[in-house]
Amino acid sequence: MTPENTTLTAIPGFRVGHWTDLAGQTGCTVILCPDEGAVASASFIGPSPGTREGVLLSPEKTVERIHALLLTGGSALGLGAAQGVVEVLEERGVGYETGFARVPIVPAAVIYDLGVGSSSARPRAEHGAAAALSASSDPVTRGRVGAGTGATVGKYLGGQGAAAGGLGSAVAGRLGRLGNVSVGAIAVVNAVGDVLDEQGQVLAGPGTGPGHDPSHQPFTPTPVENTTLVAVVTGHTLTKSECRRFADAAQTALGRVIHPSHTFWDGDSAFMLSSCALPPADPLLLGTLVQEAVCAAVRDAVRMARQPQ
């Protein structure tokens, strides 16, 4: 009997692929949208988010649909992996029609993982292409894989107490007035704070809280080294402005599951994508499910990161 898919790819039309470098402790993850693209927007909070095409996702900008989303390690050096995804999609004839060529729209966001494995290891264009070529609708592989390979959490005491972050995925669904309503999420968890479980207890991280343990020397995290990346998808029709509001809701969910969240040293990025294949859903219900899926994906990331590779 085939296990139920409880990851983002349970939402029809979206496919996920990874490229992983276990030796270098880095990697990248690609979410492929339906060929016609997905309406998308994003929310960026913190001093140092690393992104590509981030401005394009603002609701007032012209292009509404993206064709893939790249989540990657390697800090700003890893953003080059997006070019490989662009080239794969161009070869498939997928992209925004300009009159002279179809231009694939592939936003990207990064985490800083250069201090975990090899500082010279980072995803490049060929690795982004490999992730795109491997993308499928199979359940998402989670843990220390893809963009989550070198992710860590609970870093407010420095190296002491830091735990594996990883990549997680979850779906949330409910029966609404217009039928089944569902969303899927992926989270790459690389936060300063601890990750909390469903009861509010520490699931990953030292759990003392900044400054609560006098035996530890004071430590100030580095702004560029901490980021949680979240991508949420749904089939229910949304406008670009609505996607932005739900991306904000995804950021709010991080405050429920990471403590402390959105610190001076985190640069968190949240994306909301809609294939528009289904009628609109009750926005209150949809917002609730976005937050549930994000919390579940963050917890799934650190739980799966503990599993043997």
Side-chain angles (χ1 to χ4, degrees), residues 136-149:
S136 76
S137 57
D138 294 339
V140 178
T141 304
R142 294 115 64 217
R144 296 187 72 77
V145 65
T149 304

Side-chain angles (χ1 to χ4, degrees), residues 284-301:
L284 184 59
L285 174 56
L286 195 58
T288 299
L289 296 177
V290 166
Q291 295 197 352
E292 289 180 1
V294 169
C295 288
V298 170
R299 292 175 180 130
D300 182 63

Side-chain angles (χ1 to χ4, degrees), residues 67 93 95-103:
H67 303 96
Y96 178 76
E97 181 56 65
T98 66
F100 294 95
R102 287 188 178 272
V103 180

Side-chain angles (χ1 to χ4, degrees), residues 141-222:
T141 304
R142 294 115 64 217
R144 296 187 72 77
V145 65
T149 304
T152 52
V153 300
K155 292 175 280 190
Y156 50 82
L157 298 178
Q160 305 173 72
L167 178 147
S169 188
V171 291
R174 217 64 64 71
L175 186 63
R177 291 181 294 108
L178 300 177
N180 291 318
V181 180
S182 59
V183 303
I186 278 179
V188 179
V189 190
N190 194 53
V192 168
D194 300 317
V195 174
L196 307 181
D197 67 14
E198 291 81 356
Q199 287 73 46
Q201 302 301 306
V202 174
L203 181 62
T208 61
H212 286 191
D213 187 342
S215 68
H216 291 295
Q217 295 297 313
F219 173 76
T220 301
T222 302

Side-chain angles (χ1 to χ4, degrees), residues 9-306:
T9 49
I11 307 301
F14 294 94
R15 294 159 287 161
V16 173
H18 303 298
W19 174 81
T20 302
D21 177 2
L22 289 175
Q25 289 293 286
T26 191
C28 59
T29 297
V30 174
I31 301 171
L32 293 186
C33 305
D35 285 354
E36 62 273 19
V39 175
S41 190
S43 174
F44 306 110
I45 297 180
S48 302
T51 66
R52 174 187 189 270
E53 301 276 34
V55 172
L56 186 69
L57 295 172
S58 298
E60 73 274 11
K61 304 306 180 186
T62 301
V63 175
E64 288 195 337
R65 291 180 180 253
I66 68 172
H67 303 96
L69 175 65
L70 174 75
L71 309 177
T72 183
S75 190
L77 299 165
L79 288 171
Q83 183 59 31
V85 183
V86 169
E87 292 172 0
V88 168
L89 293 178
E90 183 185 26
E91 290 176 1
R92 294 177 178 176
V94 173
Y96 178 76
E97 181 56 65
T98 66
F100 294 95
R102 287 188 178 272
V103 180
I105 307 299
V106 183
V110 302
I111 67 166
Y112 184 99
D113 53 9
L114 300 179
V116 179
S118 169
S119 61
S120 63
R122 73 284 313 260
R124 303 180 187 275
E126 61 267 29
H127 306 134
L133 291 169
S134 73
S136 76
S137 57
D138 294 339
V140 178
T141 304
R142 294 115 64 217
R144 296 187 72 77
V145 65
T149 304
T152 52
V153 300
K155 292 175 280 190
Y156 50 82
L157 298 178
Q160 305 173 72
L167 178 147
S169 188
V171 291
R174 217 64 64 71
L175 186 63
R177 291 181 294 108
L178 300 177
N180 291 318
V181 180
S182 59
V183 303
I186 278 179
V188 179
V189 190
N190 194 53
V192 168
D194 300 317
V195 174
L196 307 181
D197 67 14
E198 291 81 356
Q199 287 73 46
Q201 302 301 306
V202 174
L203 181 62
T208 61
H212 286 191
D213 187 342
S215 68
H216 291 295
Q217 295 297 313
F219 173 76
T220 301
T222 302
V224 299
E225 295 183 3
N226 310 283
T227 303
T228 295
L229 309 178
V230 173
V232 184
V233 307
T234 187
H236 301 285
T237 298
L238 296 172
T239 66
K240 196 175 183 184
S241 293
E242 289 169 338
C243 283
R244 171 57 190 269
R245 295 190 190 105
F246 287 123
D248 287 339
Q251 291 277 18
T252 301
L254 294 181
R256 293 167 50 182
V257 71
I258 297 174
H259 180 76
S261 68
H262 301 112
T263 71
F264 287 4
W265 303 280
D266 287 287
D268 300 323
S269 301
F271 301 85
M272 183 74 199
L273 288 66
S274 167
S275 68
C276 298
L278 299 173
D282 176 356
L284 184 59
L285 174 56
L286 195 58
T288 299
L289 296 177
V290 166
Q291 295 197 352
E292 289 180 1
V294 169
C295 288
V298 170
R299 292 175 180 130
D300 182 63
V302 297
R303 285 173 171 144
M304 295 302 295
R306 296 170 178 167

